[in-house]
Amino acid sequence: MQDTFYYEVRTPENYDESKKYPMLVAFHGIGHNESFTWNTFEELTDEFIVVGVRGHMDYNNGYAFYYLEGFGKPDMESFDDCMEKLPAFVEELIEEYPVDKDHVYLGGFSQGAILSNTLALLLGDKISGIVSMNGYVPDFLEERYGVKDVGHLDVFLSDGRDDEIFPPHVGGRNEEYFKEKGANVIYTTYDTAHTIGDENKADAVKWLRSKI
């Protein structure tokens, strides 16, 4: 699996493979790396199997899962390539570890949030919930790939009041979209720009803990 995407895994203390654990798979934003996971979700390693995934494409001093033609406009060749690889990769992670399949979560910031949104819609009931921070739902998903039912899905959406890339009206559309699909949505705008503040991190961790 490391041949497809490099990833790091952290497990709870006294990890026992005969038990089942909730899993969080986390994706960083463009130009960053898997350290995003530990900066944001490290507290959860007491309860969750946490997987930090690195994008498979070089971008500036970091990595990307796909390239961009502009803000909010993926390069479709690289996006399609990612969608050919990433859903199967997530499914393999779920099978490789002792996972409680009723508690599988995705989390991400910016490009990672877009991936969390997308994968939840493509993988359906294999994903229990998502933490989607400062991203959006691509408007081509249904036509290009088809989407699954997400009436079961728990969604934590957040963004920044001063986010210059994906301002709060984008978050409002995300909330509307998931609610129309029947998902259970919490949406909060924080006093930040295109970043994750301490309050946002704390709320995301608290929300995930409340689900197990």
Side-chain angles (χ1 to χ4, degrees), residues 121-190:
L121 290 159
L122 269 56
L123 291 172
D125 61 9
K126 293 178 181 177
I127 304 302
S128 309
I130 58 174
V131 172
S132 175
M133 299 177 284
N134 302 70
Y136 67 93
V137 179
D139 59 10
F140 53 79
L141 294 183
E142 295 196 37
E143 180 179 352
R144 197 169 188 91
Y145 309 115
V147 301
K148 303 281 182 63
D149 176 70
V150 291
H152 67 286
L153 191 72
D154 289 322
V155 180
F156 177 99
L157 293 174
S158 66
D159 55 28
R161 187 169 293 109
D162 298 316
D163 190 331
E164 70 284 4
I165 298 175
F166 302 127
H169 73 264
V170 176
R173 289 204 303 267
N174 295 337
E175 178 186 28
E176 182 179 356
Y177 180 89
F178 279 113
K179 284 186 173 179
E180 286 178 354
K181 293 290 185 183
N184 178 33
V185 182
I186 292 176
Y187 170 48
T188 306
T189 296
Y190 294 90

Side-chain angles (χ1 to χ4, degrees), residues 93-106:
L93 284 173
I94 295 168
E95 295 301 324
E96 183 174 345
Y97 294 91
V99 173
D100 178 349
K101 294 181 181 179
D102 291 328
H103 293 92
V104 177
Y105 299 89
L106 307 175

